[in-house]
């Protein structure tokens, strides 16, 4: 009887594992965990023989993995695991707390967020094909290095060039400057955000014009000094891009957008430099004290002039980030009241996370450079 | 007296910190540690309030940080630190062991090595300007995606295009296929290896011909299946590169090189496919049972034919990796005895680490595609 039970037990374990799901696509090669079940539940796993306490810490309290820290259970072999409820689709940062110390998951790729390299997991979305790699022509993401006299350093930006860039060698392209959020960097939009695949898919569908997308680091400061990113962008990055790539180097063919901190930077930089940018995208920017009179040098006071000059002012947020969504929607309403044309687009069911911003990019980009 | 001592202590701490050196260039933005002193000693630091034991673990036993694990000392505030002896210049993987659990340093960038994302530190080398970013024209490193029917997956390779690639739009370029070592991936050569800066600097000096460098992932296997990378490279990657880039798509203008596991793959793939490759570079490959009679389908039996066909067979290793250096040098001698032309280049004072392979690339690349 005992051996029969053992065999049954083994069969059941095998079956359970199979039913439980598949390693996440964000796992490193060969890592079995984290594992995502067909029901969307995720099993996390860590070996920590001597630990007294191991917890799963989602990045933030509205992260789609649930509120943390989430206690993990010790197995007899000194491994720890936990299975979450069904997770929200999209990309979520996480780490483990091993006796209080933040530890990346050795089974996962890392992503620059929270000011450091952090584990992340991609939870599949049935409606997520727009950011998946598909069998369409692919543009390139290139590391572009430029010297910054302002910062006295070499800086790296990533530049997406559309699929026909190397073929249509006489063509010139409009440019979108696309910024990440706080604690992230120039890698965010292509790595976590999958901006290049979103662009490839939109271009393949004919849904947007082929364009160049420039993703730089939104920090230009030493220690606690003021952030001089605006100076770097306007005086150094844009000339460097216009020198190195076949751009259409005028305001009509230049857009700026950003998420969270990058959205606030976009408002500040693009609204104050309307001779440089004509299209503006503000994804989940935290607004405080927005008023249509005084804000941004009083740019909203003359609605007719603004509407004539700014081809697009796009505002958007997820419905599950109320402290961001509310003020942004209110700003949109106030702008409307002042006669300023803007659009407000919300992402249903998503929070202050990349899923909101992938959707924002998908909605924003087809509206760009449509004027001719 | 007590307050005077306290003030003196604070002053001394401040001075000591200043004298101790600078944050490593591999640190994340704003992280003070690890810190490299002018004397080459490195101070590592981690906050782990509840830990019983914290150690520094260099990646490997011949890593330039010393042999680990190295005990770290607990301060009264629950932070742990240790200062190493002067470290060997170059790039070293490391991690912390917190009560036995491998933990990345939150102050450091991560690099894919050891089969996972791992902390790494760049120790400056006075003779390292050849791999630093300099004020010369820069090529681009592009992510190139291609579909692999063999693996039924999209694969990513990184492709270096030389600085004049976008300007000399009629030019076609020779191609070097450049492979990483075990536990690393397609990011290794540009991230840890700085291959793009090495190429930029060599091209700027006129020391080598402008060329394209393709860096792919040397793994093409599911679970414990056989590695089918050779199949992928020959049947899928090369046609994809020749289709997407302005290459000179013949054997005379195609080279292959690799480090460690990638060197063994280079020997296997390039020597067995001399109709595809004409130049071969073997950096620190582990050799076992090399014989000039039977090896690689007996390719070394006809020296005259080999020398006529293979334009370059380059072998090299660091002097501080004796188990690799010895057999490779012996192979070179045996080849010489058999009338086979090869070169053997050693890297003085370096081990099975990226410093050896940066130097190898610097020596290898100027010897390529010189025949016309």
């Amino acid at each position: 009887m005992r051996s029969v039970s053992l065999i049954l037990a083994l069969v059941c374990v095998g079956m359970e594992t199979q039913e439980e799901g598949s390693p996440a696509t964000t796992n490193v090669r060969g890592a079995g965990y984290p594992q995502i079940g067909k029901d969307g539940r995720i099993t996390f796993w860590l070996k920590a023989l001597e630990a007294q306490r191991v917890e799963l810490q989602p990045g933030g309290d509205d992260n789609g993995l649930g509120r943390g820290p989430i206690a993990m259970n010790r197995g007899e072999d000194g491994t720890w695991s936990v299975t979450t409820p069904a997770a929200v689709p999209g990309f979520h940062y996480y780490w483990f707390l091993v006796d209080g110390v933040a530890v990346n998951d050795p089974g996962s790729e890392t992503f620059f967020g929270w000011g450091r390299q952090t584990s992340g997991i991609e939870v599949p979305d049935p409606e997520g094909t727009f950011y998946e790699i598909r069998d369409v022509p692919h543009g390139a993401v290139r590391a572009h290095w430029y010297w910054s006299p302002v910062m006295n350093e070499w800086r790296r930006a990533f530049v997406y060039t559309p699929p026909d860039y190397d073929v249509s060698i006489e063509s010139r392209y409009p440019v979108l400057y696309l910024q990440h959020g706080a604690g992230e960097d120039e890698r965010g939009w292509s790595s976590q955000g999958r901006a290049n695949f979103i662009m490839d898919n939109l271009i393949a569908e004919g849904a947007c014009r082929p364009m160049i997308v420039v993703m730089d680091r939104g920090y230009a400061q030493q220690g606690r000094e003021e952030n001089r990113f605006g100076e770097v962008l306007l005086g150094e990055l844009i000339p460097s891009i216009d020198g190195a790539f076949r751009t259409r180097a005028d305001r009509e063919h230049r857009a700026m957008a950003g998420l969270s901190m990058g959205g606030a930077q976009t408002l500040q930089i693009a609204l104050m430099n309307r001779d440089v940018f004509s299209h503006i995208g503000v994804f989940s920017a935290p607004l405080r004290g927005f008023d249509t009179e005084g804000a941004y040098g009083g740019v909203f006071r003359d609605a007719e002039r603004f509407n004539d000059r700014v081809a697009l002012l796009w505002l958007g947020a997820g419905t599950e980030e109320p402290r961001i969504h509310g003020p942004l929607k209110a700003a949109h309403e106030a702008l409307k009241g002042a006669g300023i044309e803007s659009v407000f687009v919300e992402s249903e069911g998503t929070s202050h996370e990349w899923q909101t911003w992938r959707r924002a990019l998908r909605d924003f980009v087809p509206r760009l450079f449509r004027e001719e």
Side-chain angles (χ1 to χ4, degrees), chain A:
Chain A
M1 271 308 278
R2 214 171 152 190
S3 64
V4 172
S5 303
L6 182 64
I7 287 165
L8 279 174
L10 286 171
V11 167
C12 290
V13 166
M15 282 170 63
E16 239 176 53
T17 306
Q18 201 146 31
E19 278 182 357
E20 266 178 11
S22 325
T25 56
T26 30
N27 288 10
V28 300
R29 205 176 59 85
Y33 290 91
Q35 200 169 87
I36 305 179
K38 286 177 184 162
D39 53 4
R41 301 175 70 192
I42 309 177
T43 302
F44 292 90
W45 183 94
L46 182 72
K47 190 171 179 179
L49 298 178
E50 299 171 48
Q52 299 300 306
R53 195 175 84 248
V54 178
E55 294 151 303
L56 169 68
Q57 177 62 60
D61 64 0
D62 61 356
N63 176 301
L65 298 178
R67 267 169 208 274
I70 298 161
M72 295 176 70
N73 310 305
R74 190 183 196 283
E76 285 183 14
D77 55 354
T79 65
W80 299 72
S81 62
V82 68
T83 299
T84 68
V88 175
F91 176 87
H92 312 300
Y93 293 110
Y94 73 96
W95 52 91
F96 298 128
L97 295 172
V98 176
D99 293 331
V101 178
V103 176
N104 281 333
D105 185 345
S108 174
E109 270 297 328
T110 55
F111 302 86
F112 198 78
W114 295 82
R116 59 182 192 277
Q117 289 286 354
T118 298
S119 302
I121 186 167
E122 183 69 46
V123 178
D125 186 342
E127 293 172 16
T129 52
F130 76 92
Y131 55 78
E132 297 294 344
I133 184 168
R134 300 212 307 253
D135 189 13
V136 298
H138 298 120
V141 176
R142 315 174 181 205
H144 171 75
W145 293 88
Y146 67 101
W147 176 255
S148 164
V150 164
M151 293 302 296
N152 197 35
E153 68 181 10
W154 286 99
R155 290 176 61 92
R156 179 180 65 176
F158 285 103
V159 180
Y160 170 84
T161 50
D164 57 356
Y165 187 86
D166 283 333
V167 181
S168 308
I169 51 179
E170 298 296 325
S171 302
R172 304 189 79 87
Y173 298 85
V175 185
L176 164 62
Y177 289 83
L178 185 62
Q179 288 303 122
H180 61 83
E184 297 173 339
D185 70 8
E186 69 273 23
R187 292 169 284 195
W189 266 111
S190 54
S191 180
Q192 293 93 307
R194 301 189 175 192
N196 53 318
F197 298 138
I198 295 173
M199 295 303 301
D200 289 346
N201 294 331
L202 288 172
I203 291 169
E205 290 162 12
C208 77
R209 294 188 60 170
M211 68 186 77
I212 292 169
V213 183
V214 178
M215 300 158 278
D216 197 5
R217 193 165 80 253
Y219 295 102
Q221 64 203 120
Q222 248 133 34
R224 295 182 182 184
E225 284 176 12
E226 194 196 355
N227 191 354
R228 300 174 72 183
F229 175 64
E231 248 178 283
V232 169
L233 173 67
L234 295 166
E236 300 175 342
L237 177 62
I238 291 178
S240 162
I241 294 295
D242 285 336
F245 294 88
R246 299 194 314 275
T247 63
R248 300 189 69 169
D250 55 31
R251 70 174 293 282
E252 283 70 28
H253 299 93
R254 206 179 283 123
M256 183 172 180
L259 72 91
S260 195
M261 176 188 85
Q265 290 176 315
T266 297
L267 278 169
Q268 188 64 37
I269 296 168
L271 283 178
M272 299 297 276
N273 295 277
R274 300 181 301 285
D275 53 328
V276 181
F277 300 99
S278 55
H279 297 72
I280 300 172
V282 181
F283 309 168
S284 303
L287 291 188
R288 278 190 211 93
F290 186 89
D291 76 293
T292 55
E293 274 301 306
Y296 306 106
V299 65
F300 300 128
R301 276 186 210 132
D302 186 341
E304 195 175 343
R305 188 151 179 234
F306 184 94
N307 295 337
D308 189 52
R309 192 88 172 132
V310 176
L312 175 66
L313 176 56
W314 190 106
L315 310 171
T319 58
E320 306 307 303
E321 48 176 346
R323 281 171 301 179
I324 303 273
H325 182 279
L328 259 178
K329 192 168 184 181
H332 168 67
E333 296 298 338
L335 289 169
K336 203 170 165 182
I340 299 285
E341 291 168 12
S342 68
V343 296
F344 182 80
V345 177
E346 61 188 23
S347 168
E348 186 60 40
T350 64
S351 180
H352 206 63
E353 284 205 303
W354 278 99
Q355 203 72 341
T356 299
W357 307 319
R358 291 167 176 173
R359 291 179 181 173
L361 188 67
R362 175 182 56 173
D363 187 277
F364 176 68
V365 163
R367 302 174 189 258
L368 297 179
F369 315 122
R370 284 294 181 191
E371 309 230 316
E372 57 200 76

